[in-house]
Amino acid sequence: MAVLCIGEKIGKYTVSNLIKSNAYTETYRVEDQNSNPYFLKLFVLKNLPLQLMNYEENWVKEILYSKQINHKNIVSCIEAGTLEREASACQYYITNYFQGSILADVIAREKSLAEDEALRIFAGILEALQYLHSLAPVLCHNDLDPSNIILSATSSREPQLIDLGHLSERSFGLVWFDTTDIAPFYHANETRVNIFDEQSDIFSACCVLYAMLTGNAPWECPLPAEGTYKEKFAPLAQYRKTHQIDFSALSVSAKTRHILKKGLELKNTERYKTVSDVLEDLNASCIESPANAGGADFSQESSGAQVQRNSPNYVEFPIKRGNGKGFEDIAGMAGLKDSLNKQVVFVIKNKDIAKQYKITPPNGMLLYGPPGCGKTFFAEKFAEETGFSYLLIKSSDLASSYVHGSQEKIRQLFDQAEKNAPIVVCFDEFDALVPDRSWNHSSSEEVNEFLSQMNNCAQRGIFIVATSNRPDKIDPAVLRTGRIDKMVYVPLPDYEARKELFTLYLKDRPVEDGIDVEALAKMTEGYIASDIAYIVNDAAMVAAYTRISISHEMLITSISNTHASVRSESIKQYDEIRRKMEDTNRRNITEHAKIVTW
């Protein structure tokens, strides 16, 4: 029987539901007075293993450790306290509620991540470890694997370490945490003899990087389901001895290959000693090694030419080459997908026919509508559908503290895009990049530069997809023929789209039989795509905590705890914006289209 009851008050928090429990801990979802969700982890002291308690301070070690931590890439403790119950005294702590996707789910769905994104996530993980290792006493995470890392729901997908249940000081032969629930695939060989330290954490982080790039943990092999940690590890250790990883076969840069090879050395004497050593290699353009005494210049690797970096305002934008399924990954938007298949994708994939009939795709298109309806996601999947490279640009990417610095970055952006053509360049929140000059004179130079670079840029192999929640704030000159030719309203998902969204977001996750997506779609009228993604991720988080499959009941509970993001008054506002933009679109359609050679 659970210690806490649904609806019970714990200070300013109200218990919503029990997430998981074992012999000595229980984890709950709780809400504050404003219905904001949090996690509460409770420890039943009479059942607590002795090694998990700090008897000098009379607090559970995990709570003491979590109260020390303050880092953006690690779940934070908001408050802690004690409860007196007839059966036993209890201690608890409350953390922020994780909003995003568990990395293990992302890898399962996407199979592998683009190298640039994997390295960025890897860097965030390293920064979290570096912080833990800098504390006094040194703390080690000891259970770093994709199921214990969450990626934020924002487009940046910032990583955060979410499970502190195995956090401890260095262990050399005697561990102060439970090892039975640790996944051996992500742990160094020395951990089977109870050595857990900074080096074993770094090894785990490199295993996570390998999994992000390949879709699998390194050295995967059959392991026994039962037994001690040492017994489970035995066949893995033997497998590692007889099966070397062929790092040369990985489709990654030489620098990434170097980091993986050194980070996954089986002998800890040959591995990275500190996180700083890894970060130094990660940020280096040249690495000295015994096999390469002169050093390898990784800055030249991708382009094959020397990159000019002498400008103080130099920036190189990360190009992504998608490995998804294109439009097949998009729920709903059937009309838009069909229209673009006929007007754009067909032309791109049938160049000879297009040339014969002098058919040209639009120079660019604007996707507009309420936030969270999948506009940016659509742009990326459009790039995959066409086979183009993909470049996502936000307003912060082009900001500069130098005079005319933003103009220089805009020129660099289009020059880089042309070198990587054919390419889709997605400008997110386009209204912030090209605001109407009639009321924002400070941005005139930047807008003028955009106008110049966008003119018939399709001739250079650059296809623009802009997204905006407020297209009425975009400078009108940007929306004329030869720049943005096509404007498409992306509405709230309808019933069929919501069914597809639930099916899509549940795909490749552990789910129970009997989930009724039709019933879920009916319950979520007015919800946007990001709301449904949050609902599924919320249920997945509950299931992951208990290591069970996602159930229909979990999803219903998550729906009841999630309000629609777009209010009815906002929908009316977007209906008016849509009417104005359709008038502009009709004017563009009647203009004479310029011939564009692709």
Side-chain angles (χ1 to χ4, degrees):
M1 184 175 178
V3 173
L4 303 180
C5 301
I6 306 303
E8 183 174 351
K9 294 280 188 181
I10 307 295
K12 65 178 182 180
Y13 302 95
T14 302
V15 177
S16 298
N17 57 277
L18 175 69
I19 294 176
K20 74 169 184 177
S21 64
N22 60 25
Y24 56 89
T25 67
E26 296 178 354
T27 303
Y28 297 85
R29 173 188 168 121
V30 297
E31 294 183 351
D32 64 11
Q33 304 98 315
N34 298 318
S35 299
N36 297 314
Y38 298 87
F39 282 118
L40 182 149
K41 188 170 184 178
L42 181 141
F43 299 83
V44 181
L45 298 187
K46 74 172 184 177
N47 299 332
L48 191 75
L50 297 178
Q51 68 267 28
L52 301 185
M53 192 75 179
N54 182 319
Y55 287 96
E56 291 184 4
E57 300 193 40
N58 200 31
W59 273 96
V60 176
K61 288 181 180 178
E62 182 179 337
I63 297 178
L64 289 177
Y65 294 148
S66 66
K67 289 170 69 176
Q68 294 182 56
I69 296 172
N70 181 20
H71 192 275
K72 65 183 178 67
N73 295 117
I74 309 175
V75 62
S76 58
C77 173
I78 295 172
E79 65 176 73
T82 60
L83 291 174
E84 293 296 332
R85 290 293 187 266
E86 291 184 7
S88 172
C90 301
Q91 293 181 359
Y92 68 89
Y93 74 107
I94 294 172
T95 71
N96 54 306
Y97 197 78
F98 324 130
Q99 298 187 13
S101 300
I102 297 172
L103 179 56
D105 290 341
V106 173
I107 294 172
R109 289 197 307 273
E110 301 182 13
K111 308 309 177 188
S112 64
L113 278 65
E115 183 179 359
D116 287 344
E117 182 173 29
L119 290 176
R120 182 183 53 74
I121 294 170
F122 179 59
I125 294 169
L126 291 176
E127 290 172 8
L129 291 180
Q130 187 176 46
Y131 171 80
L132 291 175
H133 298 170
S134 70
L135 297 175
V138 169
L139 292 181
C140 300
H141 188 273
N142 301 320
D143 190 23
L144 197 63
D145 70 48
S147 65
N148 293 329
I149 299 167
I150 193 168
L151 304 183
S152 67
T154 61
S155 59
S156 63
R157 299 216 286 193
E158 186 77 16
Q160 190 175 45
L161 312 188
I162 61 172
D163 190 344
L164 306 183
H166 299 84
L167 204 65
S168 78
E169 300 173 29
R170 300 185 187 102
S171 300
F172 298 106
L174 183 64
V175 294
W176 301 101
F177 53 89
D178 186 6
T179 59
T180 58
D181 59 344
I182 291 179
F185 289 125
Y186 292 89
H187 284 74
N189 280 357
E190 64 266 21
T191 62
R192 62 179 172 153
V193 291
N194 293 338
I195 296 177
F196 291 84
D197 60 5
E198 297 96 318
Q199 278 192 283
S200 60
D201 267 355
I202 295 169
F203 182 91
S204 296
C206 291
C207 287
V208 172
L209 174 60
Y210 184 93
M212 287 191 288
L213 294 169
T214 68
N216 300 290
W219 297 288
E220 284 198 3
C221 64
L223 298 181
E226 303 295 333
T228 65
Y229 179 67
K230 187 175 182 179
E231 290 169 343
K232 293 178 184 176
F233 208 117
L236 175 60
Q238 184 60 37
Y239 187 83
R240 286 175 173 176
K241 285 182 181 178
T242 57
H243 292 75
Q244 292 186 345
I245 296 176
D246 183 6
F247 293 100
S248 64
L250 299 178
S251 299
V252 295
S253 65
K255 178 165 70 173
T256 302
R257 196 175 297 118
H258 168 88
I259 291 171
L260 285 171
K261 188 174 182 180
K262 187 172 181 178
L264 295 177
E265 283 283 357
L266 296 179
K267 294 180 180 178
N268 61 356
T269 55
E270 299 177 11
R271 289 204 310 266
Y272 287 109
K273 300 294 188 295
T274 68
V275 174
S276 296
D277 294 337
V278 194
L279 288 171
E280 184 178 348
D281 278 358
L282 188 62
N283 296 324
S285 60
C286 179
I287 295 179
E288 294 283 348
S289 68
N292 178 33
D297 189 353
F298 296 117
S299 67
Q300 302 179 38
E301 179 181 6
S302 59
S303 64
Q306 182 70 38
V307 179
Q308 299 298 320
R309 300 174 182 269
N310 54 353
S311 168
N313 199 45
Y314 174 82
V315 63
E316 188 168 356
F317 301 94
I319 304 292
K320 184 174 182 179
R321 291 168 176 83
N323 53 5
K325 299 178 181 178
F327 284 170
E328 187 180 335
D329 288 336
I330 300 175
M333 298 191 189
L336 176 56
K337 288 187 284 189
D338 182 63
S339 173
L340 290 178
N341 268 320
K342 294 176 179 177
Q343 298 181 29
V344 182
V345 178
F346 174 81
V347 178
I348 292 169
K349 292 185 176 180
N350 298 273
K351 294 182 179 178
D352 291 341
I353 298 175
K355 185 176 182 180
Q356 180 183 358
Y357 286 87
K358 296 184 178 181
I359 302 172
T360 60
N363 193 70
M365 66 178 174
L366 172 70
L367 303 178
Y368 68 96
C373 288
K375 297 183 288 293
T376 307
F377 179 73
F378 186 93
E380 181 177 355
K381 293 303 167 181
F382 170 76
E384 292 176 1
E385 186 72 19
T386 58
F388 284 12
S389 301
Y390 177 70
L391 182 53
L392 174 63
I393 299 297
K394 302 175 184 177
S395 58
S396 58
D397 295 329
L398 300 176
S400 176
S401 58
Y402 295 95
V403 176
H404 306 305
S406 292
Q407 290 172 266
E408 183 181 342
K409 283 188 175 183
I410 294 167
R411 285 193 293 271
Q412 290 176 18
L413 163 65
F414 279 88
D415 286 346
Q416 185 183 347
E418 185 173 3
K419 291 175 183 177
N420 288 273
I423 188 170
V424 170
V425 180
C426 176
F427 292 106
D428 196 23
E429 298 180 356
F430 200 40
D431 48 288
L433 289 165
V434 286
D436 191 336
R437 288 168 294 177
S438 64
W439 56 267
N440 192 335
H441 300 289
S442 62
S443 300
S444 292
E445 292 181 348
E446 288 82 2
V447 174
N448 289 337
E449 185 65 39
F450 260 112
L451 294 175
S452 174
Q453 295 290 345
M454 289 174 63
N455 272 334
N456 300 313
C457 62
Q459 294 178 350
R460 299 152 64 188
I462 303 170
F463 187 88
I464 293 173
V465 180
T467 72
S468 177
N469 302 330
R470 291 302 305 269
D472 52 322
K473 295 185 178 296
I474 294 174
D475 192 278
V478 176
L479 302 178
R480 74 157 178 80
T481 304
R483 292 179 182 133
I484 297 293
D485 305 309
K486 189 176 181 65
M487 283 169 276
V488 180
Y489 180 69
V490 182
L492 298 178
D494 60 15
Y495 169 72
E496 292 298 327
R498 295 196 301 275
K499 280 201 312 182
E500 288 187 46
L501 284 167
F502 274 109
T503 301
L504 178 65
Y505 290 132
L506 288 167
K507 185 179 179 182
D508 294 326
R509 299 184 197 252
V511 296
E512 289 184 359
D513 293 335
I515 291 181
D516 186 350
V517 294
E518 293 184 354
L520 297 174
K522 290 177 181 177
M523 296 175 65
T524 50
E525 184 176 358
Y527 285 62
I528 58 178
S530 59
D531 291 336
I532 295 174
Y534 176 83
I535 287 165
V536 175
N537 284 329
D538 187 50
M541 191 69 64
V542 172
Y545 250 90
T546 56
R547 298 297 195 272
I548 62 174
S549 298
I550 301 169
S551 69
H552 187 74
E553 290 71 23
M554 290 178 186
L555 291 162
I556 291 175
T557 300
S558 184
I559 291 172
S560 66
N561 291 324
T562 306
H563 304 291
S565 297
V566 181
R567 299 178 180 178
S568 56
E569 55 267 30
S570 296
I571 296 174
K572 294 178 181 178
Q573 181 185 23
Y574 278 105
D575 286 340
E576 178 61 22
I577 291 174
R578 181 180 186 178
R579 185 188 63 77
K580 292 179 181 178
M581 298 308 296
E582 286 178 347
D583 288 342
T584 303
N585 202 22
R586 278 191 289 271
R587 288 195 298 271
N588 279 347
I589 292 172
T590 58
E591 292 185 16
H592 179 67
K594 295 183 179 180
I595 301 299
V596 179
T597 302
W598 280 67

